[in-house]
Amino acid sequence: MSGPAAGANPTVHYSLSSRVLAAAWAVIAALLLVDLFLRGQGPDVWRYGAVLVASVALVYLVWLRPRVLVTERGLRVINPLRETFVPWAAVLWVDVVDVLRVHTPDGPVRSWPLRETKRSRVRDNMRREGGFMDESDEDPRTMRPMDRAALQLRQDAERHKARPLSGPIRDIDEAGPAALGARDRPQTMVSVEVVVVAGAVLVLVAASFLLA
C-alpha cells in the first residue's frame, strides 16, 4: 500500500493490514486499561496495566512504524528496530521475493513490512531469484500490491537518478537520521525513537512490578 506525495511530503509504502491490526489492538488495549482501572483492585492492576502499555508499544514498533519512504535524496527503509537510508545512486534494483528488497552495491536491503502473502507467488519468485526480476512489461493494473510497489520504486529511482541532488545530507527532516552524511552508500542505524520507546516501556514494566 502506498500514499501519494503532496508537495514536499514523501511517498509512503506500508502494509495496510498491519496498520489496521495495530489500530484495532490500540483500541482494544485502551478499553481494557479503562476497565482494569475502573474495576481492578490491588497491585496486579499496575502490573497488568504496564503489560498492556508494553503491548501497544510493541505493536507500534512492529506493525505501525515500519514503512518505506521515497524522498528527494533516497529511500528510507524503516523496519521495526533499524532504519536504512539508501541514496538513489545506490539503488540498483527493487524487487519482491518473500519481502520487498532494495538491491545496493553492499547487498540487498529488505523491507520487513512489505511482504508477499501468497505462498505460490513466493515460490515462483524464489525460483527466479538468480537475477533481478524484470516485470516491467506487466500491466501495473494487474500486478499484485508488492510487485506494483517495487515497480513504482524502480521508476522513482530512475527519475531521481536523472536529476540528482548534490552535496551531503545535513537535515534530519529531509531524509531521516540514517541519511546524515550519506553520499552514495546505504547507511543503517537503530533509531533514537526505538531506543526511547523500548527504554520507556522497560522502565514502566520494571517499576510496576517493583513498586506495586
Side-chain angles (χ1 to χ4, degrees), residues 93-110:
W93 193 252
V94 183
D95 63 9
V96 180
V97 181
D98 55 334
V99 297
L100 185 140
R101 306 181 303 178
V102 181
H103 294 271
T104 77
D106 297 340
V109 177
R110 297 165 63 88

Side-chain angles (χ1 to χ4, degrees), residues 121-152:
R121 181 67 174 180
V122 172
R123 288 195 295 269
D124 290 341
N125 290 344
M126 292 289 189
R127 284 194 289 267
R128 294 185 294 126
E129 193 185 0
F132 297 160
M133 295 176 286
D134 188 357
E135 299 181 351
S136 57
D137 294 334
E138 188 175 346
D139 187 346
R141 293 172 297 181
T142 64
M143 284 182 169
R144 292 183 59 78
M146 290 303 101
D147 292 324
R148 187 163 57 248
L151 174 61
Q152 291 173 352

Side-chain angles (χ1 to χ4, degrees), residues 13 68 70 75 88 94 100 149-157:
H13 297 269
V68 174
V70 179
L75 293 176
W88 290 118
V94 183
L100 185 140
L151 174 61
Q152 291 173 352
L153 291 173
R154 292 196 296 268
Q155 293 172 341
D156 289 333

Side-chain angles (χ1 to χ4, degrees), residues 50-58 61 194-208:
V51 170
L52 283 172
V53 172
S55 71
V56 173
L58 180 63
L61 292 177
V194 172
V195 175
V196 170
V197 171
V201 168
L202 288 175
V203 169
L204 175 63
V205 172
S208 66

